Amino acid sequence: MTYESLLYEVTGALARITINRPDKLNALNGAVIAELDRAIGEIERDRAIRGVILTGAGPKAFVAGADIGEIASQGPVDGKARALEGQRVFRRLERCGKPVVAAVNGFALGGGCELAMACHLRVASEGARFGQPEVKLGIGPGYGGTVRLPRLVGRGRALELLLTGAMIDAQEALRIGLVNRVVPAERLLPESEQLLTTILGNGPLALQACLEAVDTGLDLGLDQALLLEANLFGLLSGTADMREGTAAFLAKRPPQFTGA
Ligand code: COA
């Protein structure tokens, strides 16, 4: 499959998606959203791919938001449709069943911050900047910013970012829990890949179950979430990977997981 606004590379078990409109700071227009959807489809289908890195092209931006040129001319009906479509694609990424790490290499604003939040983990370069500046344009977030930001950093901090539209630096993003790690720019991709490789050393079905338990469980009541966890725990107990992982521990040898 070919892409015009993305770079899509697969190396071993890792897929790397790079949003590739550096002259527009990788702003998300309709074409980028459509290609992202296609790339996620490839990732879902390809069983050899076990983890994903998402980043932006060029030294300046991860993604500087939805394309303001497109937003400027939208009306209420196509505005809602744009939001729903972006939300669907970001949700598809979040539910793809394989760990996704955002390697945030610069501005992650508006839709860019929302895209990073739809990834499971975020590694930021020291120069990265985060924010939800939509209110400065007289609009609000449309790709999940009011939904995922409070879940990640808490209601008060989320509302401060949403209402001021202010940008914060990588260290502040780390302090409030918006990112997992901050690294020098030249270490961003190696550290992101290392993190993902470490994760992928664990049982694949166990990873999938953790993603599902947290994603679904966060929106359930305590007892239902605990029941979901117990059900997944029971399900994993029927896997060859669980037999292998526990046997390897007891035999003091590294496990050989097969994803079965
Ligand atoms: N949509 C469309 N184009 C965008 C864009 C966006 N969200 N963000 C940046 N661009 C374009 C600029 O228009 C400019 O294009 P041009 O060279 O054809 O004029 C190019 O990317 C470079 O951006 P520029 O503003 O010149 O860079 P800068 O270093 O001066 O400022 C930012 C960087 C990120 C502070 C600034 O681009 C910005 O505020 N972008 C919008 C952020 C935003 O509000 N996002 C939420 C959208 S809902």
Side-chain angles (χ1 to χ4, degrees), residues 1-247:
M1 253 185 251
T2 56
Y3 297 93
E4 286 177 10
S5 315
L6 303 181
L7 303 175
Y8 179 79
E9 302 150 271
V10 178
T11 312
L14 300 191
R16 190 200 293 179
I17 301 174
T18 307
I19 313 281
N20 190 26
R21 291 183 81 204
D23 54 324
K24 295 291 178 191
L25 304 189
N26 304 319
L28 301 172
N29 61 11
V32 176
I33 295 288
E35 291 197 354
L36 201 49
D37 192 28
R38 268 207 287 135
I40 298 164
E42 279 198 59
I43 286 161
E44 285 169 348
R45 278 188 299 276
D46 189 339
R47 287 178 57 87
I49 295 173
R50 296 187 43 230
V52 184
I53 305 266
L54 181 64
T55 192
K60 213 168 149 180
F62 173 69
V63 167
D67 192 304
I68 297 170
E70 287 186 354
I71 288 177
S73 59
Q74 75 191 12
V77 175
D78 48 336
K80 179 176 176 183
R82 183 190 310 283
L84 287 174
E85 179 60 4
Q87 289 174 359
R88 182 187 67 75
V89 173
F90 286 17
R91 187 73 179 126
R92 187 177 184 188
L93 180 69
E94 195 170 35
R95 294 284 291 181
C96 76
K98 307 177 186 190
V100 183
V101 174
V104 182
N105 54 308
F107 292 113
L109 302 175
C113 191
E114 291 168 308
L115 180 57
M117 289 191 291
C119 298
H120 302 115
L121 299 172
R122 284 150 294 283
V123 180
S125 66
E126 285 167 344
R129 298 280 179 278
F130 296 81
Q132 296 287 161
E134 289 90 341
V135 289
K136 291 177 185 278
L137 301 170
I139 198 165
Y143 291 168
T146 64
V147 181
R148 291 192 180 89
L149 191 57
R151 282 170 166 73
L152 255 183
V153 305
R155 184 176 171 140
R157 285 170 173 151
L159 278 171
E160 184 174 340
L161 283 168
L162 292 164
L163 297 179
T164 62
M167 261 193 252
I168 57 171
D169 64 19
Q171 284 303 335
E172 178 65 359
L174 182 67
R175 194 185 70 80
I176 68 173
L178 181 51
V179 301
N180 299 84
R181 297 180 184 190
V182 178
V183 300
E186 68 278 8
R187 296 292 310 150
L188 181 65
L189 287 175
E191 295 265 354
S192 302
E193 283 178 14
Q194 184 53 55
L195 174 61
L196 204 41
T197 303
T198 302
I199 290 170
L200 297 184
N202 299 317
L205 297 173
L207 294 176
Q208 212 175 321
C210 286
L211 291 172
E212 186 182 333
V214 171
D215 188 85
T216 305
L218 264 176
D219 292 319
L220 296 175
L222 185 83
D223 288 324
Q224 286 171 301
L226 288 171
L227 180 60
L228 172 65
E229 184 187 80
N231 285 337
L232 290 166
F233 187 79
L235 201 62
L236 290 169
S237 303
T239 64
D241 277 354
M242 186 277 244
R243 302 267 167 263
E244 168 61 11
T246 49

